[in-house]
């Protein structure tokens, strides 16, 4: 069983829709990261969370430590948001990282 | 600032050949990482370093060696390449494990 599970695997939305991507993990962590991988392959770090909620523009990330769950929300989605979104966790007491398989988002105009 | 750079961008090897991938960062970051990305499997951590002269194993270290002789460089070596090592390799760096900055990737094919 993968230690980091993302859902859905694929997501297609119409421009303007509200998007939610989920990430669940099975062990104690010190931090959770959300990454965006563009169609060209480049990877950008969006958020690092250890508790609560963070917001950057139209992107919102939340984490519930007790439930071992995080969500990434995109408000007013746009075709340029089309990318693979990846959840990653850093385990407690070390720097080892584990990644989810990613959620491929396609936003249609 | 160039950020994180990787050399080379593409490489084709024959089984048994050796090669070294170079990752360089100019942000004075302490932490550096090597990942591989395979279709359907997501990113997997190979090795990482939390400072000059230190390295540690990640999830999939077998068949790879690393060195961090200088703070700005993190080298990934394949001593005897195998087809199973065909992948896209990403390097990343961070300031004490916070936001990671990724390089553009190296596409390696082992025939």
């Amino acid at each position: 069983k993968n230690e980091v599970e993302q859902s859905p695997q694929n997501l297609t939305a119409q421009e303007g829709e509200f998007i939610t991507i989920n990430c669940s993990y099975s062990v104690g962590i010190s931090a959770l990261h959300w990454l965006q991988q563009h169609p060209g392959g480049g990877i950008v770090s969006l958020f690092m969370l250890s508790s609560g909620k963070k917001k950057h523009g139209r992107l919102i990330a939340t984490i519930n430590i007790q439930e071992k769950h995080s969500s990434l929300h995109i408000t007013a989605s746009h075709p340029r948001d089309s990318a693979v979104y990846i959840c990653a966790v850093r385990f407690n007491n070390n720097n080892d990282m584990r990644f989810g398989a990613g959620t491929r988002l396609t936003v249609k105009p | 600032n160039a950020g994180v750079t990787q050399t080379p961008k593409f490489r084709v090897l024959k089984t048994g050949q050796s090669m070294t991938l170079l990752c360089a960062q100019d942000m004075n970051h302490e932490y550096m990482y090597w990942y591989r990305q395979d279709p359907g499997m997501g990113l997997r951590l190979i090795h990482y370093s939390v400072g000059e002269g230190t390295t540690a194993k990640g999830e999939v270290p077998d068949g790879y060696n690393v060195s961090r002789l200088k703070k700005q460089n993190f080298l990934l070596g394949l001593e005897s390449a195998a087809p199973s090592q065909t992948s896209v390799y990403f390097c990343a760096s961070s300031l004490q494990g916070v936001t990671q900055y990724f390089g553009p990737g190296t596409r390696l094919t082992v025939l």
Side-chain angles (χ1 to χ4, degrees):
Chain A
K1 184 179 185 296
N2 196 357
E3 291 152 307
V4 183
E5 297 281 354
Q6 283 187 241
S7 62
Q9 283 186 312
N10 295 283
L11 181 56
T12 300
Q14 289 298 128
E15 183 173 357
E17 286 185 2
F18 181 83
I19 304 292
T20 296
I21 299 170
N22 296 298
C23 176
S24 297
Y25 52 92
S26 57
V27 296
I29 65 169
S30 59
L32 182 143
H33 298 252
W34 282 102
L35 311 171
Q36 180 192 54
Q37 186 166 26
H38 297 289
I43 300 174
V44 174
S45 183
L46 298 174
F47 295 103
M48 192 204 76
L49 295 160
S50 54
S51 64
K53 176 180 175 179
K54 286 190 176 179
K55 184 176 189 291
H56 182 69
R58 295 180 295 106
L59 301 178
I60 304 166
T62 64
I63 188 167
N64 185 318
I65 296 293
Q66 287 73 30
E67 295 186 3
K68 295 186 172 59
H69 181 268
S70 176
S71 293
L72 176 68
H73 305 287
I74 305 175
T75 61
S77 60
H78 190 276
R80 65 174 175 266
D81 296 326
S82 297
V84 176
Y85 292 84
I86 302 168
C87 171
V89 300
R90 179 153 50 95
F91 294 133
N92 283 334
N93 302 321
N94 66 45
N95 292 288
D96 202 352
M97 299 278 291
R98 293 285 185 271
F99 293 77
T103 294
R104 184 174 299 277
L105 172 65
T106 303
V107 182
K108 294 185 175 180
Chain B
N1 288 348
V4 180
T5 58
Q6 292 183 229
T7 309
K9 290 186 169 51
F10 303 93
R11 185 74 187 267
V12 177
L13 290 178
K14 293 182 179 177
T15 297
Q17 287 185 318
S18 63
M19 77 163 293
T20 301
L21 283 69
L22 170 64
C23 176
Q25 53 91 7
D26 61 1
M27 296 175 281
N28 202 34
H29 284 169
E30 290 291 337
Y31 289 30
M32 296 186 75
Y33 311 81
W34 274 109
Y35 300 100
R36 60 178 289 174
Q37 186 176 41
D38 302 295
M41 297 197 69
L43 287 155
R44 290 182 292 171
L45 180 63
I46 304 171
H47 286 279
Y48 63 96
S49 168
V50 299
E52 184 178 319
T54 70
T55 63
K57 295 180 181 179
E59 183 182 3
V60 287
D62 293 343
Y64 304 95
N65 56 75
V66 288
S67 64
R68 183 101 182 265
L69 299 179
K70 293 183 178 180
K71 186 177 184 178
Q72 63 267 35
N73 295 336
F74 195 29
L75 279 64
L76 178 71
L78 286 73
E79 289 186 349
S80 179
S84 60
Q85 294 177 304
T86 293
S87 189
V88 180
Y89 292 84
F90 287 96
C91 174
S93 71
S94 71
L95 194 61
Q96 297 192 349
V98 187
T99 302
Q100 292 198 21
Y101 295 83
F102 285 79
T106 294
R107 188 172 296 275
L108 175 66
T109 302
V110 183
L111 302 175

